[in-house]
Amino acid sequence: MKKIFITGIGTDVGKTIASAILVEALEADYFKPIQAGDLEFSDTDKVRKLVANSTSEFHANSYALQTPMSPHAAAEIDKITIETSKITLPKTNNHLIIEGAGGVLVPINDTETILDLIEPEYKVVVVSRHYLGSINHTLMTLQILKDKGYDVSVIFNGAAHKTTESIIQKMTGVHVIGRIDDEPYFDAMVIKEYANLFQNELEKF
């Protein structure tokens, strides 16, 4: 069974929407190890609402922090320390989509980052969204992951920006799953359409 870790080039680039699409496409389970803030309607709640299939299961966070900040800082406010040894994958016989928090070098404690949650056997999907500086952020993220030996793919999110997408592909040779447009809204039907659209590329994993 596939274990796919979803990360981004920063925050608010579309990881949760991308996660919902992959959950729907693979009828996979979903797990977000660390949720910081928005506990009343968490990313797990959002993905659950967007997924239509009846196979996927949605697993509880290992850490649910009160404040929408970097995990290390949110944990400090809650007077706890995040320990990677206490972040264990849920038991499942299904594919598993694991959503990170922010980018790969976001700190989770004084010595570790999100990168330390990504096991060697995981497939990694990087969500990239165009903005001034996003090429640099995308290339750095991909380089870090490739240097660590991960099997990495990219999903572009937002309006097409051909020069950005083209140079990232040329310089990295990364597998591109597809692009999520700036839709007026996302609901289960829209997510299902993207799941069908990405199906062939996901089968190449």
Side-chain angles (χ1 to χ4, degrees):
M1 290 295 175
K2 297 173 184 175
K3 293 180 176 65
I4 302 174
F5 196 99
I6 311 292
T7 190
I9 63 170
T11 192
D12 293 330
V13 296
K15 293 188 302 298
T16 302
I17 292 295
S19 295
I21 292 168
L22 268 63
V23 168
E24 183 66 22
L26 298 172
E27 296 191 346
D29 286 9
Y30 172 87
F31 174 52
K32 178 149 185 163
I34 304 169
Q35 174 74 39
D38 298 327
L39 298 185
E40 68 285 350
F41 190 52
S42 68
D43 289 342
T44 304
D45 295 324
K46 292 169 187 170
V47 174
R48 184 188 287 111
K49 185 177 180 180
L50 291 169
V51 167
N53 81 78
S54 58
T55 301
S56 297
E57 294 186 17
F58 304 88
H59 301 277
N61 310 116
S62 295
Y63 288 91
L65 309 170
Q66 298 293 325
T67 311
M69 297 176 68
S70 175
H72 80 288
E76 186 174 344
I77 291 170
D78 286 357
K79 295 181 170 48
I80 62 172
T81 299
I82 295 172
E83 300 176 45
T84 53
S85 62
K86 293 184 178 178
I87 298 175
T88 56
L89 290 186
K91 292 180 180 178
T92 178
N93 293 319
N94 195 7
H95 301 304
L96 183 65
I97 304 301
I98 308 159
E99 183 182 349
V104 293
L105 294 185
V106 167
I108 58 176
N109 54 42
D110 289 347
T111 59
E112 296 172 299
T113 69
I114 292 294
L115 188 62
D116 293 292
L117 301 182
I118 309 176
E119 297 293 339
E121 71 272 17
Y122 293 178
K123 308 286 188 181
V124 183
V125 174
V126 174
V127 181
S128 176
R129 185 178 182 91
H130 172 77
Y131 53 79
L132 188 62
S134 67
I135 294 174
N136 181 50
H137 295 159
T138 304
L139 292 178
M140 285 194 299
T141 299
L142 293 173
Q143 190 64 52
I144 289 167
L145 290 165
K146 286 191 166 193
D147 285 350
K148 292 286 186 180
Y150 293 110
D151 184 350
V152 189
S153 297
V154 164
I155 290 175
F156 292 110
N157 183 34
H161 200 281
K162 291 183 179 180
T163 56
T164 294
E165 295 172 22
S166 174
I167 194 64
I168 289 167
Q169 288 179 263
K170 285 177 182 176
M171 295 190 77
T172 65
V174 70
H175 170 230
V176 177
I177 294 171
R179 183 165 46 78
I180 306 165
D181 289 324
D182 273 333
E183 303 288 350
Y185 62 87
F186 285 95
D187 62 9
M189 185 175 294
V190 175
I191 293 297
K192 182 64 174 175
E193 289 174 357
Y194 277 102
N196 291 337
L197 188 65
F198 290 178
Q199 198 76 52
N200 288 341
E201 292 302 324
L202 290 172
E203 287 174 3
K204 296 177 182 178
F205 261 31

